Every structure is written in structure tokens, then in C-alpha cells.
Amino acid sequence: MTSKQKNNEAFVWIWLPGATKPVVAGKLESDNGLIHFNYGKSYLERIGDIPPAIPIYEPELPLKPGILPLTQGLEMPGCIRDAAPDAWGRRVITNKQLGLKGKDTDTSELDELTYLLESGSDRIGALDFQNSPTEYRPRSANNATLEELLESADRVEKGVPLTPELDNALFHGSSIGGARPKALIENQGTKYIAKFSSSTDLYSVVKAEYIAMRLAALSGLDVAQVKMVQAAGKDVLLIERFDRIHTGDGWARKCMVSALTMFGLNDMTARYASYEDFSEIIRHRFTEPKNTLKELYGRLVFNILCGNTDDHARNHAAFWDGKVLTLTPAYDICPQGRTGNEASQAMKISGENNLSQLKSCLEAAHHFLLSNEDAMSVSARIEHGIRKYWDSVCEEAQLSEIDKKRLWNRQFLNPFAFEE
């Protein structure tokens, strides 16, 4: 394929709740830079079937015939974009398709439908994309070793074209989001996302993420399970996937949408996303809204206390069952590099304020239906959890003393968080 070749259509397949095989839901068509969706007649007629058809996501794509209008400001449905590869996956696909070199490769060389059709089929959530409306052919790879995946990731980072064997090894994970090197693996009946060190890391970023995720769980938050392993002498972080359910008949998939999609925003307008607006959506559209709001407040506090300023709207998500939303476990809690004390969160907290301070959280507590006393109790619990388990979790991760000193009071429990 060359950069001049374009895909003008793709068929959307979906795993309905509890199903282990997908059905075709409808078609995407590209027209003058916009990508529209319409449901297939056979899918709309599944209303009485078991399992019945569900909207891919409402209110964005309701179960209606005909081409569905795009949300204002979007070039494609947000719930479809959620299933597309992000920066890392696009680099893998560009390497495979065009053999282009270097980290600064222009990933716009390929169109959006090509990225959907050329990425691996085991993507996040319950969607996949095919050239055919009648025959489903998964794009997958054999279960490669971590050593093979590390070698593949290293070559992509250097802009070196992959060998066919390494191409196959890394391709499987090309559909998952994020900018860091990663891949998908399956081990002993469990599916994981594997995150690798990057050649540009100034400290052990994967260990820092492991520590943050473990401390979040030990502080009482609902967090994806993680483990640290080594391969080829390098650290690898394994995150257990929560969008897959192993059944006697195979793997079922759980539908998911990002907070960015719930907001009706795209990557260009993500700066308008806020915890205040997210809490409003939760109150009206989520299961167990009161408990969910308290959990989200705790995640906000933890992000601030661990130095994760990359809490953008793609790093929050919900399961979708066709009717209501349920907050997923937390993921991508990764302390970010920091030179000074002052910092700000990627999403606004309340109004225009996004300063990474507990004071900002307390001022927004009423949006989360929390009293000041309850909000301070949440903050105290999380701070206590970080202090209590810091040494033991750093020991679990085998974090060096240099990195331990680098992270403490800079990313974790930075004094700026406690000012005023």
C-alpha cells in the first residue's frame, strides 16, 4: 500500500453482551474527510434476537436506519474513534505499510479507515473493522514472546522496518491506544497489555506506573490489576485487561466508550473536558452514581498526589451495555516528568481551574455530591495509603534508590499539592 491509496468504506462488527462471536453492525463511509455510519438492516432486525442488537453508543449512534449525523465538531463518531489505534499503534502500522523511518514520521500519511482496517482485531472494547459485511476474518498474530515483542518495539522506535516475523509479533497490539511502546499478550487464560520501556526514558517509567497503580489499589480505588516482569533484561509492565471475559465458549468482549466520547469532544477540543462536566454525566447516565462519583473523586485526588497530570478524557472510560454506563477500573495512572513544583491536570477540575492541588479538589467536592468532611476523608485515606505502602511497593518493583528519591516529593506527594 502507498500513501495515495485510500479506503472509502469499512464494516463495523460488534461483540454483543455475553457473545463470543461478532455480528456485523453497519458500515462506515468516508466522504470529503468525514466518516459517517449507518446500521445494517440485518442488525436493526435483531431487536427480538438473543442477544438483541444494542446501540454502539447512545446518544451518538442510536438504533435508527439511514446515515446517522455526526456530533457537531467531529469528523467521525467518537465511539468508533475510541476503537482506533493511537500514536504508538499508528507508528507500527505506518512502519508496516510504508516502511517509513523515525519517530517523527507523519502518521497522517494513511487515512482513518486504513488505520481501522490495518490494526489488530483484539482492540479495546467490543468492536472490530472488516472489508466484508458477511465474513469475519480476525487480524491477529501468534502469541509472541516478550523478548520478540521488545525487539519489535525497539525497531519501531528507531524507525527500522520490521522483519516479517517481528512485524507479526507487534502487529497484534497495534490497535490499542496511547503513545508508549506496548503490545498484547495472553498467558494462562488471562489477557494483558504489555508496556515496555522507551529508549527516551530518563527513569524507569514502567516501574513508576506499576507503583502508582499498586498504591492506588492499596488506597482503596478500583484499579486494573498489574504485575512487573522482566524480559531480555528490560522491565515490562503487564496490565490485566478488564474488557475481556473468558467463558467456556471463548472470549466475550465488553463495550467501552471514553469520557472524550461522552463529552462529544475530539482530540483537538479535549481541552474543554472537565471533571465537573464528567460528574454531571455520571449523575444522569451511570449505574450507582453516588458511589461512582466518590470513586472518581478519589481518582482525581490520587492523580494529584502521585503526579499523574496525564488524566485526559481518553484516560477515563465506561462500560456500555446498550442502556447505561458503568465506570471501568482505573488505568494509565502514570506519574509524569516534573521539573518544578507547580503543575496542572489535563482535565479542568471546576470552572477553569485545573491546578494540581487538594484545594482544587475540595472546592469541587459538591460536584461529586460530597460534603467537605467526606471529601477531606477521601484525601486523607489516599494520602495515608501512599505513605503506608510506599516502601513496600517500591521494594516489590525493585525500584532503585536513585529513582525512589527522584519520585518521592517530586511526583508522589509534591508539596505543591498541599499548599493552602
Side-chain angles (χ1 to χ4, degrees):
M1 179 179 291
T2 70
S3 59
K4 294 181 180 179
Q5 291 177 290
K6 303 289 183 182
N7 283 286
N8 294 318
E9 66 177 28
F11 293 92
V12 181
W13 291 65
I14 186 171
W15 278 254
L16 292 168
T20 57
K21 293 183 179 180
V23 296
V24 66
K27 183 168 72 169
L28 294 167
E29 290 186 278
S30 178
D31 181 27
N32 292 324
L34 301 178
I35 297 175
H36 294 277
F37 175 80
N38 67 284
Y39 286 106
K41 182 181 178 184
S42 63
Y43 189 74
L44 293 173
E45 291 174 348
R46 288 185 61 91
I47 301 301
D49 291 2
I50 298 176
I54 65 170
I56 293 176
Y57 175 61
E58 278 187 326
E60 188 174 46
L61 296 180
L63 279 177
K64 294 180 179 179
I67 295 176
L68 299 174
L70 288 167
T71 301
Q72 185 175 359
L74 299 190
E75 296 179 347
M76 66 187 298
C79 57
I80 300 296
R81 178 61 181 84
D82 284 342
D86 278 340
W88 172 253
R90 289 172 185 242
R91 283 174 60 190
V92 173
I93 294 165
T94 305
N95 182 299
K96 177 181 179 181
Q97 296 293 315
L98 305 176
L100 298 178
K101 298 182 178 182
K103 294 182 179 182
D104 298 324
T105 296
D106 183 5
T107 55
S108 65
E109 288 283 340
L110 301 175
D111 61 284
E112 286 297 329
L113 291 184
T114 296
Y115 281 119
L116 293 177
L117 289 167
E118 294 297 330
S119 48
S121 290
D122 199 11
R123 65 190 72 244
I124 301 301
L127 300 181
D128 194 24
F129 308 93
Q130 299 279 308
N131 287 306
S132 170
T134 57
E135 184 179 10
Y136 179 77
R137 291 185 176 181
R139 298 177 299 281
S140 59
N142 295 329
N143 203 24
T145 66
L146 285 174
E147 286 79 8
E148 289 174 315
L149 293 167
L150 277 164
E151 186 180 351
S152 302
D154 187 54
R155 290 174 73 96
V156 169
E157 279 212 294
K158 293 176 180 176
V160 179
L162 294 170
T163 66
E165 294 78 16
L166 295 180
D167 181 7
N168 192 46
L170 200 59
F171 168 72
H172 187 39
S174 62
S175 54
I176 50 181
R180 292 187 58 80
K182 59 176 65 69
L184 297 175
I185 66 168
E186 183 177 337
N187 184 40
Q188 297 180 341
T190 303
K191 286 180 178 279
Y192 297 96
I193 295 171
K195 289 189 175 181
F196 309 128
S197 302
S198 171
S199 58
T200 59
D201 290 345
L202 300 177
Y203 62 95
S204 183
V205 174
V206 292
K207 284 186 176 180
E209 183 170 347
Y210 171 84
I211 290 166
M213 295 284 282
R214 288 282 291 127
L215 288 173
L218 291 167
S219 300
L221 297 175
D222 181 20
V223 181
Q225 297 287 314
V226 293
K227 63 169 72 173
M228 282 293 306
V229 298
Q230 277 214 334
K234 294 184 178 181
D235 298 317
V236 180
L237 174 64
L238 299 182
I239 305 107
E240 187 173 335
R241 294 186 65 172
F242 46 71
D243 62 336
R244 295 293 184 266
I245 305 169
H246 194 263
T247 73
D249 297 324
W251 289 97
R253 305 190 180 194
K254 302 184 77 169
C255 295
M256 282 174 52
V257 291
S258 70
L260 195 66
T261 291
M262 298 177 223
F263 292 136
L265 301 173
N266 61 22
D267 292 315
M268 299 298 293
T269 55
R271 63 187 181 278
Y272 298 116
S274 72
Y275 283 95
E276 181 179 348
D277 290 342
F278 196 10
S279 64
E280 180 75 15
I281 294 170
I282 288 171
R283 286 199 294 272
H284 294 289
R285 303 196 58 214
F286 273 64
T287 57
E288 300 187 16
K290 191 168 184 179
N291 290 338
T292 301
L293 287 168
K294 187 175 182 180
E295 169 71 17
L296 181 64
Y297 187 83
R299 294 182 189 186
L300 169 58
V301 168
F302 188 86
N303 282 333
I304 287 173
L305 293 184
C306 82
N308 176 32
T309 55
D310 194 36
D311 57 339
H312 56 78
R314 282 205 186 281
N315 280 344
H316 300 276
F319 298 121
W320 166 251
D321 67 0
K323 294 180 181 179
V324 291
L325 296 158
T326 301
L327 195 66
T328 70
Y331 58 95
D332 281 357
I333 305 176
C334 187
Q336 301 297 302
R338 193 161 172 168
T339 51
N341 279 342
E342 187 168 327
S344 54
Q345 299 305 118
M347 286 209 317
K348 292 180 285 187
I349 297 170
S350 182
E352 294 301 311
N353 177 26
N354 66 343
L355 288 178
S356 306
Q357 295 184 300
L358 294 181
K359 178 181 70 172
S360 303
C361 301
L362 191 59
E363 290 171 353
H366 62 283
H367 295 302
F368 299 82
L369 303 183
L370 293 174
S371 66
N372 280 4
E373 292 77 11
D374 288 340
M376 288 189 288
S377 176
V378 170
S379 297
R381 182 194 82 213
I382 290 172
E383 181 188 349
H384 174 72
I386 293 172
R387 293 185 185 278
K388 178 179 179 179
Y389 296 107
W390 169 253
D391 288 326
S392 61
V393 172
C394 287
E395 188 174 340
E396 279 178 20
Q398 299 182 345
L399 188 70
S400 70
E401 281 299 317
I402 292 175
D403 280 350
K404 189 175 178 182
K405 290 178 181 177
R406 179 196 296 266
L407 292 172
W408 188 251
N409 285 149
R410 184 176 294 177
Q411 278 87 349
F412 289 89
L413 303 189
N414 188 294
F416 180 70
F418 302 95
E419 286 184 7
E420 300 183 44

